[in-house]
Amino acid sequence: MSRVYNFSAGPAVLPEEVLITARDELLEYGTSGMSVMEMSHRSKDFENILDEAERNLRVLMNIPDNYKVLFLQGGGCTQFAMIPMNLMRNKVADYIVTGQWSKKAAQEAKIYGEVHTVATSADKNFSYIPDLSDLNISENADYVYICQNETVHGTTIRTLPNTKGKVLVADISSMFLSEPVDVSKYGIIWGGVQKNVGPAGVTIVIIRDDLIYDEVLPFTPTMLKYKTHADNKSLYNTPPCYNIYICGLVFKWLLKLGGTEAMHKINQAKAKVLYDYLDGSKIFHGTVEKKDRSLMNVPFVTGSKELDAEFVAGAEKAGLRNIKGHRSVGGMRASLYNAMPIEGVNALVNFMADFEKEHVK
Ligand SMILES: *Cc1c(COP(=O)(O)O)cnc(C)c1O
């Protein structure tokens, strides 16, 4: 076996301990006589897996009792539609557009109502977070939307916007469980799990009870109503059972590690290794304003397409995989999710330093 350091932005690296447990339990889960993949979603065994996953997530995120936890399908992009379909009762919403993912969300919402972009960093290719303390919030906005960590552009919103009393909806896909959050500040906080929590196929939506409406936009399919899933504890239809089981293993791994506070410290230490190197480098440069840098996704460039390509090719050979940047930013991107060990970051920085020595005389 030879596992590489996988810097993919998603689907992404998972904790090795989790994969080993999954392997050990692949043919028979507990004394059930079967794999989790083969179980009825109505069986006692799976019910316990689902209940335990929710319980542990509630502990990890300190989720208040007046919030529901929904395990859904359809990925992040389905939420871009589901949110307006369920919440746009005045048919008005305010979007803060700080990168590719909030831009896509805003575009999708336009199908359902009036969308106001109340702040954006498009003027500088989304390389910073604008001041969000005093925005022109629409009087009848049903919600204010953010993508708190922009996976492609590598920014994080550190100070939540002043929504002037409006409901805050946040996509935290690429920072899910990477640090503590105060769930009570959000109406909906949600993420696709394939970035930082588990295998692709599960989207976790944490929604305040009073936002689970009976009356939603007309023509909203039953499957796309939050109420359907809240009323049925995520078992209205067959959920992605195996993927939820893996998420549950990741939650247990995180709890054992000391929860999100301990994870945050580790993530800060990992990111510091790379950012400190970038700040001293003569050849590599970070693309994001320092105050807004993500701990999870770190884009960087050399300024030369040829050098970037040479670096990416060399890194691949050295077992540092999926380091090529997104086409809209170019260069490189290293995703340092929870399961990326510090050894991986050290190996990357050592490789960068060697590359720099070779190319800067
Ligand atoms: C990946 C990603 C999405 C889209 O998720 P899909 O499951 O591919 O639809 C949405 N938001 C953020 C922040 C992401 O990183």
Side-chain angles (χ1 to χ4, degrees):
M1 190 180 67
S2 87
R3 284 176 56 80
V4 296
Y5 290 121
N6 179 8
F7 294 93
S8 169
V13 56
L14 286 169
E16 215 159 81
E17 223 181 287
V18 164
L19 296 177
I20 290 168
T21 305
R23 179 188 65 189
D24 292 347
E25 295 179 340
L26 184 65
L27 290 179
E28 184 182 15
Y29 177 76
T31 54
S32 68
M34 62 183 82
S35 173
V36 176
M37 274 185 248
E38 302 169 299
M39 277 176 193
S40 162
H41 59 298
R42 310 275 175 210
S43 65
K44 197 77 214 151
D45 275 316
F46 183 71
E47 214 176 274
N48 288 339
I49 288 170
L50 183 62
D51 284 350
E52 191 180 20
E54 175 172 341
R55 233 176 13 250
N56 285 338
L57 183 64
R58 283 185 179 275
V59 172
L60 282 167
M61 292 181 76
N62 195 19
I63 300 173
D65 288 343
N66 61 326
Y67 284 75
K68 293 279 185 295
V69 176
L70 311 177
F71 294 89
L72 307 181
Q73 301 191 61
C77 291
T78 299
Q79 289 312 305
F80 296 164
M82 209 162 160
I83 289 159
M85 286 176 130
N86 281 266
L87 297 193
M88 260 196 184
R89 295 151 72 87
N90 296 327
K91 298 210 170 193
V92 177
D94 288 350
Y95 277 69
I96 293 167
V97 177
T98 51
Q100 174 184 290
W101 292 113
S102 45
K103 193 174 160 189
K104 275 202 169 170
Q107 263 159 3
E108 186 74 10
K110 283 178 193 162
I111 298 173
Y112 304 99
E114 214 178 287
V115 169
H116 299 149
T117 300
V118 290
T120 179
S121 51
D123 59 336
K124 291 184 185 162
N125 195 25
F126 302 119
S127 59
Y128 71 104
I129 298 295
D131 180 3
L132 306 175
S133 61
D134 185 19
L135 303 171
N136 193 10
I137 301 292
S138 311
E139 210 164 293
N140 51 351
D142 291 305
Y143 59 90
V144 177
Y145 185 98
I146 58 170
C147 172
Q148 200 163 343
N149 186 80
E150 285 283 1
T151 321
V152 170
H153 292 89
T155 57
T156 301
I157 295 177
R158 294 260 153 242
T159 308
L160 292 179
N162 175 1
T163 64
K164 305 190 177 169
K166 303 298 182 195
V167 170
L168 179 64
V169 175
D171 173 0
I172 58 159
S173 296
S174 48
M175 63 182 292
F176 217 125
L177 295 173
S178 65
E179 59 183 80
V181 287
D182 182 352
V183 172
S184 71
K185 293 207 159 81
Y186 305 80
I188 295 180
I189 180 165
W190 70 271
V193 304
Q194 74 271 27
K195 308 292 159 65
N196 209 18
V197 181
V202 183
T203 309
I204 297 175
V205 173
I206 300 161
I207 178 169
R208 212 172 61 209
D209 286 336
D210 60 293
L211 298 172
I212 303 172
Y213 300 119
D214 237 333
E215 296 268 318
V216 296
L217 292 193
F219 304 110
T220 299
T222 308
M223 268 299 283
L224 297 191
K225 285 175 75 170
Y226 289 126
K227 190 162 194 312
T228 302
H229 301 284
D231 286 351
N232 293 281
K233 295 182 178 243
S234 304
L235 287 170
Y236 170 72
N237 72 328
T238 319
C241 301
Y242 193 77
N243 306 44
I244 291 172
Y245 154 74
I246 300 286
C247 292
L249 294 181
V250 172
F251 299 158
K252 279 189 210 168
W253 172 78
L254 265 171
L255 281 172
K256 215 167 76 182
L257 210 98
T260 52
E261 265 164 46
M263 194 67 248
H264 190 204
K265 289 206 180 85
I266 296 169
N267 286 332
Q268 282 171 318
K270 285 189 295 184
K272 186 172 178 344
V273 170
L274 182 49
Y275 283 125
D276 280 354
Y277 171 73
L278 284 172
D279 291 342
S281 172
K282 290 197 174 64
I283 181 167
F284 297 104
H285 314 281
T287 58
V288 171
E289 250 179 53
K290 281 189 190 174
K291 67 174 182 24
D292 303 318
R293 285 168 160 177
S294 167
L295 297 182
M296 296 284 101
N297 311 100
V298 183
F300 56 94
V301 296
T302 62
S304 146
K305 278 204 172 89
E306 291 70 36
L307 268 189
D308 286 350
E310 187 187 332
F311 177 79
V312 169
E316 289 278 324
K317 271 202 203 111
L320 307 164
R321 296 291 164 80
N322 295 315
I323 201 90
K324 192 172 190 296
H326 190 272
R327 59 191 178 282
S328 61
V329 179
M332 283 67 70
R333 171 178 48 170
S335 294
L336 313 180
Y337 295 128
N338 287 354
M340 172 57 65
I342 186 124
E343 290 80 9
V345 187
N346 288 333
L348 173 62
V349 165
N350 288 338
F351 184 80
M352 291 167 80
D354 288 344
F355 188 88
E356 180 165 347
K357 258 187 230 136
E358 260 174 51
H359 290 82
V360 184
K361 299 291 173 203

